[in-house]
Amino acid sequence: MSAGNAVGGLVPGKDPALAPTPPMGWNSWNRFRCYDLTEEVVLATADAMVESGMRDAGYRYLVVDDCWQAFARGDDGRLRSHPARFPSGMAALGEQIHARGLKFGLYLAPGRKTCAMIYDRYPARDIGSFGYEQLDADTLAGWGVDYLKYDWCRAGRGGTGLDYRGAFERMAAALANTGRPIVYSISEYGHARPWEWAGEYGHLWRTTPDIGPSWRSVLRLADRQHGLARYAGPGGWNDPDMLEVGNPGLGEVESRSHFMLWAMLAAPLFAGNDLRTMTEPTRLLLTHAGVLAVSQDALGRQGERVARFGRVEVWRRELSGAVAYGVLNRGRREIAVQVRDDALVLSGGQVLCPLTAESVDVWTGQPVHDRKMLWPLRSREMVLVRSPS
């Protein structure tokens, strides 16, 4: 099939009601990557999402990333599931996911290859969607897919002639033609400033390269959100990539600050750890009602960094009837903060954020004014304060 006869016509608008708040779920890639991804892993993860309370906390999308595919398309041109690792097929897998009260997500790529073929030596051929956009969209719709991650993966190579915007527009049109409501996740890593155009038909768009399980990676991606807040809101969200909470490489304090930062950024929240074996502190963090209330606030305003005092940053996010402030110690040394008059201040007196009698520490749920003495803010720790507006 050629590029010219795949999908034509104008790109229809999206249904913003599919993502009124930042989508939440789990994605297989960060923990299982390619060859460890199996039907058993996915279903056990679905069970863990239910049993851990994550589903009821709002994590609804279970996204099966790259490597679910057989090494070649069928004689009819359709994608098939890997016969050994997904023997029941994707339609049956989707039914099992739906039966648990979850939504089913899958991965495709717009070029001739997927990322696993490039970076993980996945020995497949012709499983990219170039020239098969409508067939692949119809196939996913027939399987009951609710969410598509569409991942660039050097799609402009191999003689496709694709550019970033054109590649994602083609699949947007194909998805619309299916008539099935599917959340559309655009993954081109921020190369072509997708925040300026992807909101026309995408529900979330990557603004960054891939995240890694390190504090340095978390900060690098958070810094790249500067100036992007005006492009996000109900129906369409800037996406600084998945969560690394619970994966080796991040400590407990770093994981909590990472989670709080993503909540302040109104970022999609897709866990990427092994839910089957996660620790109780990780479960409690991922399901923390106070932090998730900030993340999922209906106003849909992305937070921004509003001040810096050396290695201390202040982030602010407007909420429905409230405002949240995040104070982050990026330095390597512990610092001290305290309540003074009607403000949270550094020990040197610099005002970090205003306070009222109703201001609460989001993590503890306790009134901030109850903390009259100096208290430490550890290296890489964030404190999140919510006040009525």
Side-chain angles (χ1 to χ4, degrees), residues 208 210-225 240 242-245 249-250 254-262 265 315 328 330 380:
T208 65
D210 288 357
I211 195 170
S214 72
W215 180 242
R216 180 179 180 181
S217 178
V218 168
L219 289 183
R220 179 169 58 95
L221 271 54
D223 287 342
R224 292 176 73 120
Q225 307 316 298
M242 297 171 279
L243 295 167
E244 288 284 6
V245 170
L250 285 180
E254 295 166 339
S255 289
R256 186 166 74 240
S257 297
H258 169 27
F259 193 56
M260 289 179 172
L261 270 171
W262 263 230
L265 288 167
W315 294 72
L328 174 65
R330 293 179 66 148
R380 303 176 177 180

Side-chain angles (χ1 to χ4, degrees), residues 21-30 49 54 58-65 103-105 147-149 183 185 203-204 211 237 239-245 247 258-259 262 267-273 275 286 292 295-296:
T21 59
M24 297 170 58
W26 177 86
N27 181 290
S28 61
W29 186 255
N30 283 357
M49 291 178 74
M54 288 183 67
Y59 295 86
R60 293 301 177 91
Y61 292 96
L62 194 162
V63 181
V64 181
D65 210 287
K103 295 183 181 293
F104 180 27
Y147 180 108
L148 171 63
K149 176 183 174 181
V183 171
S185 171
H203 298 95
L204 58 158
I211 195 170
W237 308 97
D239 179 11
D241 206 8
M242 297 171 279
L243 295 167
E244 288 284 6
V245 170
N247 285 330
H258 169 27
F259 193 56
W262 263 230
L269 298 181
F270 280 83
N273 58 311
L275 304 185
L286 288 171
L292 290 178
S295 164
Q296 298 295 297

